[in-house]
Amino acid sequence: MSAQGYLVAISLGPVQDFIAASRKTRDLWYGSDLLSRCATAAVKALRNDGAQLIYPVLDQREPTGSTPNKLLAILPTGDPEQAVRSAKTAADKVLLDALNRVKAALQGRNAAHLVNWDLATEQTKTFLEFYAAWVPYDPDNPEAYAAQRQRVERLLAGRKALRDFAPAPDLDKYFPLRKQLRDSERKTTGAAKSSLDPGRDTVFQKNGLPISAGAPERKLEEDDRRRLHIKSGEQLDGISLLKRMGGTERFVSTSRVAMDPFIRRLSKERPDKLKELCDKARSLIPFGLAEEFTPTGRLSHYEAFPLDCQVVYGRLVAGERLEDNSQAEQTARDLESLVTDCRKAVGVSEIPAYFAVLLADGDRMGKAIDDLQTPEAHEAFSQRLAQFAGKVQHIVARHFGALVYSGGDDVLAFLPLDTALYCAQDLRQAFAQLVNDPNGATRPVTLSVGLSVGHYGEHLQNLLDWARQAERAAKQAGRNALAVALHTRSGGGESVVVTESWDKDPVQRWKTWIDWHRADQFPDGAAYELRELALELAGLPPELITAPITSPDGPNG
C-alpha cells in the first residue's frame, strides 16, 4: 500500500485591489512584482517539502514571466498543513524583508524617524491573503487526478469565500504618547488614512504622534516629503510605502510611453536634436521636474531618452513646482523652446499625449484544464503557459512597450499608440502557437485583448479600470476578440468602443484605414462622420443597411 499523498491548491492575494491601489506606474509594477516574488517563494517552499508542482512550472533556464498567484501541487508524502504553513511563512518573509530594506534606505536618508515601523510591520504581516485547501491523492492512481483536482478547486473557492477580518489597530499601542494626552487632544491624534488604501492608517509620524487631518500643525515638511517620495498631503500605509520605495529599479512613466513615437522619429532623423533634448531635460532633475532611469533589461528600448520629464509637454504640467523658483522657470522655458525646435525639425505638429493600456486574458481556460486527465498532461499545459509568459516580455519590448505583468495567460502592459494594435496581434498569435496542445489533447484556447487608449495625465486607476472594461467587452463579444476603447480628456467619462473577432483580422483592416489616412486618402473628418451615421442607423436591420440603394424607376433611375 502506497503512502498517503495530497493534492494541494493555494491562492495568494489580494491581486486586483493591491495592484489597483497605485498612483504611479512604479507602484503598479513593483506591486505586481512583489506578489510574483511572494508566489515564487511559496513555490520553492513547497518544493523543499517534496511537492511536485503542477502549476505553475518555473524553469530557471529560460524566462517564464511572473509567477501566477494560484498554485497547484502534489505532495506525495508528509503533512499538507505543515507544507502550507511553510509556504505562507516564505511568502510573508518576502514582504517583511522588503520592508526592512526600505527602513535601511530611509535610515540612510535620515528619514526613518518619520515612519512608525511597528505599525508598518504589523500592516505588512497581516496584508497577504493566503488561502489553501487539500484533498487525499494516491500518486499510484493518476486516473483519479481530474476528479480530485476539481474537488480541491471547489474547496479552495469555499475557503476564499470565508474572509478573515483583522480588528482595527489600537493606535495607543503604536503611538504611546497618545495615552498622555487629554481626551480633547486625543480627538486630533487619530491617524490619517492612507491615500492609496483608505482602509489602513498612515504610518507617517511626527514627534511620536501620527500625522492627522485633525492636527494641521503636525504635518511633514517639504524636505521630509522629498525623502519619502510623496506629494503634499499624500499618506501611505505600510504596504503602500513598500510599493513606493521597496525596489531599486525604476519603472517608466505613462508620459514617456506616450511620447515614444516622437522620440524614435527624432532619434532616426535628428539624433543631434535628441541629444540636446536629453541634456536639457537632465538639467531639470535638481528641481524635481525630471527623473532619469537606467534603461536596462525590460526598459532597454528606452535608452534613446531614459528620462521621465512631463515638462516636454509644456511648463504648465509642472504646476506649483515652478512657483517662486526663477531658475527652474527659466530652465523649463528653455526646454519648451527646444521641444518646439525638435518638433519643427522632424515635421511633428504635437507630441503624442495618448497611449494604450493592454490587458489580455486566455479564453475558456477552465474548460481546457478540465480536459487534462493526468498530472503529466496538466504539467505539460503549465509548461506551455510558462513559455508564452516568458515570450511576452520580448513581444512587448519589440513594440516599444512597458510590461507590467505576464503570468500564465494574463498580460498587462503600456504601449505607444503606433504599436499597440500590432503588439496585441502578436500576443494573440504567440498564445495560439505556444499554448495549444500540438497533439490536440485539449480543446483549442484563444486570447481576448482589451486596449484602452487614454491621456498620460489621467489617473492611473481610471486607466486600469478602462482597460478591464475593454477586456470585458472582448469577452462579451464571444471571446477570441480584440476590443479598443478610446477615452478622450474631453469625453466626460464617455468612450468609443470597437470590438471585433480575431477571425476577421481587425488589425489588418484598421491598418488599411490608417495607411489611407496617412496618404490623405481618408479625410480627417471621416471617422466622425461615420460615427454620426452609425448612431443614426442604430437599430435598423443589418440587411437594410447593406442593401443596394434603388429608386422606383430601377437601379439607374
Side-chain angles (χ1 to χ4, degrees):
M1 181 176 178
S2 61
Q4 176 68 67
Y6 293 90
L7 191 60
V8 181
I10 293 175
S11 174
L12 291 84
V15 178
Q16 293 298 339
D17 292 344
F18 183 51
I19 294 176
S22 304
R23 285 191 173 181
K24 295 185 175 182
T25 55
R26 191 192 176 287
D27 297 347
L28 177 68
W29 167 75
Y30 187 67
S32 300
D33 183 68
L34 202 57
L35 280 179
S36 174
R37 288 194 281 121
C38 287
T40 300
V43 165
K44 292 180 178 178
L46 288 172
R47 281 179 171 171
N48 289 339
D49 282 332
Q52 172 193 351
L53 263 293
I54 303 299
Y55 180 79
V57 173
L58 302 184
D59 190 343
Q60 301 302 321
R61 295 170 298 177
E62 56 184 80
T64 55
S66 306
T67 303
N69 69 311
K70 189 174 180 180
L71 317 178
L72 184 66
I74 294 175
L75 190 66
T77 60
D79 181 1
E81 183 174 357
Q82 181 57 46
V84 166
R85 289 186 184 278
S86 297
K88 184 180 187 307
T89 299
D92 286 335
K93 187 176 184 298
V94 171
L95 296 178
L96 292 172
D97 287 350
L99 184 67
N100 287 332
R101 289 194 295 270
V102 171
K103 183 177 182 180
L106 289 179
Q107 286 172 336
R109 299 180 185 179
N110 193 29
H113 64 285
L114 301 171
V115 177
N116 187 302
W117 294 104
D118 290 336
L119 179 57
T121 300
E122 181 63 22
Q123 290 177 342
T124 302
K125 284 181 176 179
T126 59
F127 169 75
L128 198 62
E129 294 178 358
F130 192 99
Y131 301 107
W134 54 87
V135 296
Y137 176 72
D138 182 1
D140 295 332
N141 183 23
E143 290 78 12
Y145 173 77
Q148 291 298 80
R149 184 196 61 78
Q150 292 179 0
R151 183 184 173 197
V152 78
E153 294 280 5
R154 289 194 297 268
L155 287 174
L156 182 62
R159 175 61 186 91
K160 291 173 66 176
L162 300 175
R163 298 288 300 276
D164 297 327
F165 295 95
D170 179 7
L171 290 182
D172 288 349
K173 174 183 176 182
Y174 302 104
F175 301 95
L177 287 180
R178 293 182 78 248
K179 299 178 181 179
Q180 305 174 19
L181 301 177
R182 295 188 300 270
D183 288 343
S184 59
E185 295 175 315
R186 286 169 63 86
K187 293 180 179 178
T188 65
T189 57
K193 296 300 180 181
S194 169
S195 302
L196 300 188
D197 186 353
R200 297 177 182 269
D201 295 323
T202 181
V203 296
F204 295 147
Q205 63 181 7
K206 189 172 184 178
N207 300 326
L209 291 172
I211 302 299
S212 173
E217 74 283 354
R218 192 167 60 251
K219 64 179 181 179
L220 298 176
E221 303 300 329
E222 181 179 354
D223 186 55
D224 295 335
R225 297 196 304 270
R226 180 181 55 79
R227 287 181 288 173
L228 292 169
H229 291 184
I230 60 173
K231 296 179 180 179
S232 177
E234 189 175 22
Q235 302 295 335
L236 300 178
D237 59 281
I239 290 294
S240 298
L241 176 68
L242 182 55
K243 291 198 305 186
R244 181 65 56 86
M245 301 192 64
T248 57
E249 185 179 350
R250 289 196 70 256
F251 197 67
V252 68
S253 68
T254 55
S255 61
R256 176 60 184 86
V257 176
M259 71 173 67
D260 196 67
F262 170 71
I263 297 298
R264 276 182 272 127
R265 183 164 179 176
L266 200 60
S267 176
K268 181 179 180 180
E269 299 181 14
R270 292 298 302 271
D272 56 321
K273 284 293 185 182
L274 179 57
K275 184 180 184 305
E276 284 186 57
L277 189 64
C278 286
D279 293 341
K280 183 59 67 175
R282 286 190 177 99
S283 67
L284 287 169
I285 293 177
F287 307 112
L289 296 174
E291 293 183 43
E292 188 164 8
F293 57 87
T294 303
T296 57
R298 67 178 69 201
L299 302 179
S300 60
H301 46 288
Y302 293 118
E303 63 181 351
F305 188 77
L307 294 140
D308 292 327
C309 183
Q310 294 184 19
V311 185
V312 168
Y313 288 97
R315 285 170 294 143
L316 290 179
V317 301
E320 61 184 18
R321 288 177 292 176
L322 288 179
E323 293 181 4
D324 303 322
N325 192 328
S326 58
Q327 187 178 359
E329 168 70 28
Q330 184 57 53
T331 306
R333 193 186 299 275
D334 293 342
L335 177 66
E336 193 173 24
S337 177
L338 178 58
V339 169
T340 301
D341 291 343
C342 290
R343 288 194 294 102
K344 291 179 179 178
V346 294
V348 172
S349 59
E350 61 182 18
I351 299 176
Y354 284 79
F355 74 108
V357 181
L358 181 150
L359 197 60
D361 183 54
D363 302 318
R364 299 184 176 91
M365 298 296 288
K367 292 184 178 180
I369 292 174
D370 286 342
D371 292 339
L372 306 171
Q373 299 300 309
T374 65
E376 292 75 20
H378 196 162
E379 189 173 350
F381 185 75
S382 299
Q383 182 65 57
R384 295 195 296 274
L385 279 173
Q387 290 174 355
F388 167 72
K391 187 79 170 179
V392 167
Q393 182 172 328
H394 301 290
I395 294 175
V396 172
R398 190 168 68 240
H399 292 89
F400 305 100
L403 178 65
V404 177
Y405 177 84
S406 170
D409 59 320
D410 297 319
V411 180
L412 174 61
F414 300 145
L415 288 150
L417 286 188
D418 64 334
T419 63
L421 287 174
Y422 310 112
C423 182
Q425 180 172 254
D426 286 355
L427 288 173
R428 175 252 179 174
Q429 292 173 346
F431 188 82
Q433 293 168 1
L434 295 173
V435 179
N436 281 308
D437 190 336
N439 300 317
T442 62
R443 67 193 73 193
V445 291
T446 56
L447 190 72
S448 287
V449 182
L451 280 175
S452 176
V453 177
H455 193 278
Y456 79 85
E458 187 61 59
H459 197 292
L460 185 57
Q461 291 191 27
N462 289 341
L463 293 167
L464 295 173
D465 286 343
W466 293 340
R468 280 189 283 269
Q469 292 169 14
E471 182 198 60
R472 194 155 49 244
K475 296 279 189 181
Q476 292 172 348
R479 299 180 175 85
N480 187 34
L482 170 66
V484 180
L486 171 63
H487 295 261
T488 63
R489 301 211 90 182
S490 59
E494 296 296 323
S495 64
V496 178
V497 183
V498 179
T499 307
E500 196 71 85
S501 168
W502 284 115
D503 293 335
K504 296 183 178 180
D505 199 7
V507 173
Q508 182 57 46
R509 187 167 73 256
W510 294 341
K511 180 182 182 300
T512 300
W513 295 346
I514 293 171
D515 291 342
W516 285 348
H517 183 263
R518 286 176 173 170
D520 289 330
Q521 297 175 348
F522 200 78
D524 290 345
Y528 300 97
E529 294 171 6
L530 286 172
R531 185 189 181 198
E532 290 299 321
L533 183 59
L535 292 174
E536 291 179 14
L537 299 177
L540 292 177
E543 61 272 15
L544 183 60
I545 298 175
T546 58
I549 299 175
T550 60
S551 73
D553 298 324
N556 298 318

